[in-house]
Amino acid sequence: MMKNLQKVLIIDDDAGILFLHEIIVREAGLHPKPRKFSNAEEALELLKAEDKPGNSALIFLDINMPIMDGWEFLEELSSTIRESDIKVIMVTSSLDKRDRERSKRFKMVIDFWEKPMDEAQVKSLIKKLEN
């Protein structure tokens, strides 16, 4: 597990993707117990409840989801989280360049990946975050 990375959250409404991404996160050595959420609102409530100095989280976030989509999640997260260090990677099946550009408006978004992510991407991410 990476030092200083307390939580990894995987937020996606597709159960198969949640399962696959959990395995990839663990096997790449990013985190032994990533938290999975099919509902972005539930993940947001957890992050709000644990918003304090020293807390950190890396979130793999889908865009197109029912109830609360990835954009709504980012808007709410940006306006409510004050203390925690949160980084987000958008992981989506969207090939729309406007989505990639829109993601750049959120300072917590550090990358934009096509679904499904793979172990090589996660290992590269680990190196990037360690530097």
Side-chain angles (χ1 to χ4, degrees):
M1 182 172 111
M2 284 189 53
K3 294 176 188 169
N4 303 325
L5 183 58
Q6 296 165 331
K7 285 189 279 308
V8 170
L9 280 62
I10 304 167
I11 306 171
D12 199 300
D13 61 316
D14 182 322
I17 290 292
L18 284 172
F19 178 75
L20 176 64
H21 288 179
E22 176 188 24
I23 291 169
I24 291 169
V25 164
R26 284 196 337 245
E27 294 198 355
L30 180 63
H31 198 277
K33 293 183 180 178
R35 302 274 313 264
K36 300 179 297 186
F37 295 88
S38 58
N39 180 336
E41 285 182 330
E42 292 173 7
L44 186 61
E45 290 308 312
L46 170 77
L47 293 165
K48 285 181 184 178
E50 297 180 357
D51 184 27
K52 54 188 166 208
N55 274 356
S56 65
L58 175 65
I59 302 168
F60 294 99
L61 178 65
D62 186 22
I63 293 175
N64 299 312
M65 296 180 288
I67 304 170
M68 174 182 269
D69 70 21
W71 302 122
E72 293 166 324
F73 176 85
L74 284 171
E75 291 286 349
E76 185 71 19
L77 193 66
S78 297
S79 68
T80 58
I81 299 299
R82 299 284 174 241
E83 305 293 336
S84 300
D85 176 22
I86 297 181
K87 295 178 177 20
V88 177
I89 295 178
M90 308 297 290
V91 184
T92 181
S93 55
S94 171
L95 300 176
D96 191 334
K97 289 181 181 173
R98 291 173 296 188
D99 284 336
R100 184 178 294 273
E101 289 305 311
R102 186 175 178 186
S103 75
K104 293 176 182 175
R105 288 191 252 163
F106 298 91
K107 66 179 184 175
M108 63 185 59
V109 175
I110 62 170
D111 216 335
F112 192 98
W113 297 351
E114 283 183 38
K115 258 191 219 181
M117 67 179 169
D118 62 45
E119 193 169 340
Q121 283 175 304
V122 177
K123 286 185 176 185
S124 176
L125 172 67
I126 292 169
K127 287 181 184 175
K128 181 178 172 182
L129 293 175
E130 287 176 340
N131 292 332

